[in-house]
Amino acid sequence: MKNWFTVDKIDNDTYIISEYRHWEETHCYLLNGAKRSLLIDTGLGICDIYNEVVKLTDRPVEAVATHIHWDHIGGHKYFPDFYAHKEELSWLSGGFPLPIEAVKRMIVDRCDLPDGYDVDTYEIFQGTPSRVLSGGESIDIGGRRLGVLHTPGHSPGHMCFWEEERGYLFTGDLVYKGELLAYYPSTDPKAYLASLKKISYLPAERVFPAHHSLDIKPEIIIRMRNALERIDRYGDLRFGAGIFDYGDWSIRL
């Protein structure tokens, strides 16, 4: 049987764990420090990401999600030491804004599920974080430090993570190639633009998105920011404005 996870190496201490057999092509990132490891996003939770992580580190692992959507926290059940943003804590205790039946439909849609997998067993992760974040903090894993950036828009507690020493920017669902989503009631198009402005000033050398193509350059952040500024000037940065397509990316408002 084909493996559910695909692992790619960024450098000697950093790995990408991807789920290409689902249409969302979610990417999780394992960062190994001298004292501990950090897993940014834990994927869909269909298969056990822990089994992949322990092949790549022998250190204690902390998990942090860019945001508390089902496709980013599915593997949190394997990592009791996890962080979450204060704006999305209710989503971890029964307040997730999407019904489980809708999630199950998205799981089976365009997905090469493992043999014998029963989607009716799927549950949206619920739990209590060991650390609550608000933005502005840093996460130190020993010789590696990441800045926590509160970047709402796609979701109220969305976070990007900035590793200044290596020039790595982990953008979650704020920036990726494909269709960006800012049309759900829990999204905020105006905040989306403000978050793009915030990260556009970082001297990022590499951008690591949560979905789809890994062939992505920092300049896309500037293009996205400029496009949303134009949309805003025309009064269309609002719910219901439709889809704006820019070739390698688009946004649904």
Side-chain angles (χ1 to χ4, degrees), residues 87-104:
E87 293 293 334
E88 295 175 359
L89 294 182
S90 66
W91 294 2
L92 289 164
S93 56
F96 190 71
L98 200 63
I100 185 63
E101 292 307 318
V103 171
K104 289 177 181 178

Side-chain angles (χ1 to χ4, degrees), residues 76-94:
H76 273 43
K77 56 191 173 185
Y78 306 113
F79 304 97
D81 190 7
F82 73 93
Y83 309 154
H85 193 276
K86 64 179 183 180
E87 293 293 334
E88 295 175 359
L89 294 182
S90 66
W91 294 2
L92 289 164
S93 56

Side-chain angles (χ1 to χ4, degrees), residues 12-209:
N12 288 336
D13 305 306
T14 315
Y15 298 87
I16 311 169
I17 305 174
S18 303
E19 296 173 283
Y20 286 115
R21 287 172 58 181
H22 188 268
W23 67 270
E24 291 203 277
E25 298 178 324
T26 298
H27 305 299
C28 308
Y29 296 91
L30 180 67
L31 285 61
N32 293 331
K35 296 180 179 178
R36 60 186 64 86
S37 296
L38 182 71
L39 183 60
I40 299 176
D41 290 337
T42 62
L44 281 71
I46 291 173
C47 291
D48 188 345
I49 194 172
Y50 178 82
N51 290 334
E52 299 302 319
V53 168
V54 294
K55 298 174 186 176
L56 304 170
T57 182
D58 58 0
R59 300 166 184 84
V61 180
E62 301 163 346
V64 63
T66 53
H67 58 301
I68 307 301
H69 280 173
W70 66 276
D71 52 319
H72 297 262
I73 61 167
H76 273 43
K77 56 191 173 185
Y78 306 113
F79 304 97
D81 190 7
F82 73 93
Y83 309 154
H85 193 276
K86 64 179 183 180
E87 293 293 334
E88 295 175 359
L89 294 182
S90 66
W91 294 2
L92 289 164
S93 56
F96 190 71
L98 200 63
I100 185 63
E101 292 307 318
V103 171
K104 289 177 181 178
R105 286 194 297 271
M106 288 191 287
I107 288 173
V108 300
D109 182 30
R110 290 180 284 159
C111 183
D112 180 15
L113 286 169
D115 293 341
Y117 181 77
D118 182 1
V119 71
D120 287 330
T121 65
Y122 191 86
E123 296 179 344
I124 298 173
F125 173 79
Q126 305 279 267
T128 302
S130 55
R131 182 180 179 185
V132 176
L133 303 171
S134 59
E137 303 90 349
S138 63
I139 299 174
D140 189 343
I141 56 175
R144 300 185 73 172
R145 186 184 298 271
L146 280 87
V148 178
L149 306 174
H150 182 208
T151 51
H154 176 75
S155 72
H158 190 283
M159 295 178 286
C160 293
F161 301 99
W162 167 235
E163 188 173 12
E164 182 176 10
E165 184 174 321
R166 302 189 190 207
Y168 291 175
L169 179 61
F170 301 88
T171 58
D173 280 12
L174 184 71
V175 172
Y176 58 80
K177 287 184 175 180
E179 184 178 88
L180 306 178
L181 304 179
Y183 71 97
Y184 291 116
S186 56
T187 65
D188 184 335
K190 295 281 189 178
Y192 210 117
L193 172 56
S195 294
L196 286 173
K197 287 180 178 178
K198 178 185 289 188
I199 67 169
S200 68
Y201 298 108
L202 297 173
E205 295 182 17
R206 298 191 67 179
V207 169
F208 298 106

